[in-house]
Amino acid sequence: RYEKIWLAGALLLIVGFIATVSYGAVGAGIAMVDDEGGQVDPASLDDHPRFGEPGTYQSGENEYDVYVVARQFLFEPGTSEPIRVPAHSTVTFHVTSPDVIHGFEIVGTNANTMAIPGQVATITVEFGEPTEYGLLCNEYCGSAHHAMEGKIEVV
Ligand code: CUA
């Protein structure tokens, strides 16, 4: 009997976790699809085939991968040049950091992840009409944290 109650409780917890993880975001024409992670050597990002040359890569019809390095105190790309993605596309962002933990938040949406050294955070976002989004670091990362921001252009 007790085992059954425990099992039911455990199942409820699992369902709760899944619901939390897949809690997707709907903002102005933006929807977050999934969230999964990987590993990368933070000391040799320059040698990585994608993070060594971060930016937008086409992966299919209307599908793109965007590699972003978040570092003190900028997004690369994003800060000195905007991230550009086509309108009406599905874009998976791959975000990591070579130094400390940063945040990667697409302002005005629920698309939001942490950039952790050694890990690759991925979030998939569906973009609609051409527009612009702000990018923010929302994890305290040092003296210029407040100035760490960028831009996404949906063109
Ligand atoms: Cu980067 Cu705060």
Side-chain angles (χ1 to χ4, degrees):
R1 305 278 127 61
Y2 285 116
E3 291 91 312
K4 277 193 176 167
I5 292 169
W6 275 108
L7 196 63
L11 277 173
L12 262 178
L13 269 178
I14 289 166
V15 169
F17 280 132
I18 291 170
T20 306
V21 168
S22 57
Y23 168 69
V26 185
I30 197 165
M32 195 161 76
V33 175
D34 63 21
D35 186 8
E36 53 182 280
Q39 308 270 301
V40 70
D41 178 4
S44 55
L45 283 187
D46 287 348
D47 300 328
H48 188 276
R50 294 292 177 87
F51 286 115
E53 207 149 333
T56 303
Y57 292 82
Q58 186 159 16
S59 59
E61 199 183 343
N62 295 323
E63 288 182 15
Y64 297 84
D65 286 307
V66 175
Y67 287 77
V68 181
V69 178
R71 65 173 81 231
Q72 290 168 321
F73 293 96
L74 53 87
F75 296 103
E76 192 187 341
T79 300
S80 57
E81 52 172 339
I83 295 170
R84 284 196 189 85
V85 296
H88 306 290
S89 63
T90 301
V91 177
T92 299
F93 292 91
H94 305 254
V95 190
T96 193
S97 163
D99 42 43
V100 300
I101 293 177
H102 299 276
F104 179 87
E105 178 182 351
I106 304 178
V107 177
T109 77
N110 289 344
N112 180 20
T113 190
M114 277 198 283
I116 300 171
Q119 296 185 22
V120 181
T122 64
I123 47 172
T124 300
V125 176
E126 289 178 4
F127 288 102
E129 298 296 317
T131 185
E132 281 184 11
Y133 292 99
L135 265 183
L136 269 187
C137 176
N138 59 11
E139 295 285 334
Y140 183 76
C141 55
S143 59
H145 157 71
H146 63 278
M148 184 167 167
E149 56 188 25
K151 199 199 287 183
I152 298 176
E153 287 181 0
V154 183
V155 294

